[in-house]
Amino acid sequence: MDRQSGKTRTALVTGGASGIGLASVTLLAKQGIRVAMNHLEEDEQGPEQIERLRSQGLDVIGAPGNVSIPGSAESMVETAISDLGRLDYLVNNAGISGTRDPIPASELDRIDEDLWMALLNTNLIGVFRCSKVAASALRASGGAIVNTASTAGMGLQGSSTPYAASKAGVVSVTRSLARGLAPDVRVNAVAPGQVATPWTKDWPAERKQAALNKMLIKRHVQAEDVAQTIVYLLTGAPMITGQIIVIDGGMTVS
């Protein structure tokens, strides 16, 4: 509940049907926030997860749409804001890796235009599309945005060169949006390292162990760990904006 207006706070989470997005939807809803969960229209997991959360008494609604497609992204955000009645928080989490296995930076022939455009349209331009449409409602509520970047966007290799570039773009866009929407809207990003999500579930054990060996905190990062930071940046942290919070168990400082 917004103490000043007496109205229920609301949030839109893109890519909310699994992983970090689902953990964020769940944690926000458990705090009494009404959440619109964005998912691809053809993804059956979205409606299934919404039904599961609603059965637990959580106020979650659907917001189907594809952030990578011009028009679809904007329409999804506009409809979600209309259905919610207002918008306090936006989590730009929708993203893809574009490849099941990492592509070494030296293997240029495995990287084509289609991979570049898929990653940029979803991971980077999708963030801007959704933020642009939501800006007016967020200004009205004095809200906040959190974008999901990656340690791959901060100098590490990541799954491919285009993936790392798309996430580096998210870092840059986050800071630009923080400047552009100030002082009304705070904008930050989280930069997870290797996270235990459906995408990494089937990775070879040696790849997971190699990351764990570099971590100061000797356990794999969970989606819930990232969601806790996302929710803190949205609902607390009144003087934090334009920042990128790394969540990797200390891997990048060991």
Side-chain angles (χ1 to χ4, degrees):
M1 184 74 70
D2 186 314
R3 292 180 180 178
Q4 292 183 341
S5 67
K7 296 181 179 180
T8 299
R9 292 174 296 167
T10 65
L12 168 61
V13 180
T14 70
S18 65
I20 294 169
L22 179 58
S24 298
V25 169
T26 303
L27 189 53
L28 285 164
K30 285 183 176 179
Q31 292 197 5
I33 296 168
R34 191 172 193 228
V35 185
M37 177 198 288
N38 164 249
H39 58 86
L40 295 174
E41 292 181 355
E42 66 272 20
D43 183 6
E44 296 179 356
Q45 189 173 359
E48 290 172 357
Q49 292 293 352
I50 292 169
E51 183 178 354
R52 180 182 65 82
L53 293 171
R54 291 182 67 86
S55 72
Q56 298 174 14
L58 301 178
D59 193 356
V60 179
I61 63 173
N66 191 331
V67 303
S68 74
I69 300 176
S72 175
E74 289 84 351
S75 176
M76 179 275 293
V77 175
E78 290 171 351
T79 300
I81 294 172
S82 176
D83 291 343
L84 291 169
R86 57 182 281 165
L87 188 65
D88 297 273
Y89 310 125
L90 171 63
V91 181
N92 285 309
N93 173 73
I96 59 173
S97 65
T99 176
R100 177 178 175 81
D101 297 309
I103 301 175
S106 60
E107 297 184 12
L108 303 185
D109 289 342
R110 293 178 60 190
I111 300 172
D112 58 21
E113 292 285 332
D114 289 341
L115 180 60
W116 269 105
M117 296 315 299
L119 288 167
L120 291 177
N121 265 310
T122 303
N123 297 357
L124 177 56
I125 304 176
V127 169
F128 184 78
R129 288 185 183 114
C130 294
S131 299
K132 181 179 179 181
V133 177
S136 178
L138 289 169
R139 281 190 170 114
S141 66
I145 298 173
V146 175
N147 302 321
T148 301
S150 168
T151 53
M154 304 183 74
L156 298 188
Q157 168 61 26
S159 59
S160 70
T161 296
Y163 179 82
S166 72
K167 292 301 186 177
V170 172
V171 170
S172 178
V173 165
T174 296
R175 290 171 174 153
S176 293
L177 287 171
R179 297 183 187 102
L181 296 178
D184 304 306
V185 181
R186 294 180 301 104
V187 186
N188 294 289
V190 292
Q194 189 184 108
V195 181
T197 65
W199 180 52
T200 61
K201 179 181 178 181
D202 296 327
W203 280 11
E206 58 269 22
R207 189 187 303 168
K208 297 178 182 180
Q209 187 61 46
L212 189 62
N213 290 342
K214 297 177 183 179
M215 294 180 187
L216 300 179
I217 301 173
K218 297 300 181 181
R219 70 170 178 83
H220 291 292
V221 180
Q222 302 296 312
E224 290 74 16
D225 297 322
V226 182
Q228 286 180 15
T229 303
I230 289 173
V231 173
Y232 169 67
L233 290 171
L234 291 172
T235 64
M239 292 301 292
I240 299 178
T241 193
Q243 302 303 308
I244 317 300
I245 309 300
V246 175
I247 307 168
D248 68 350
M251 184 174 67
T252 51
V253 297
S254 60

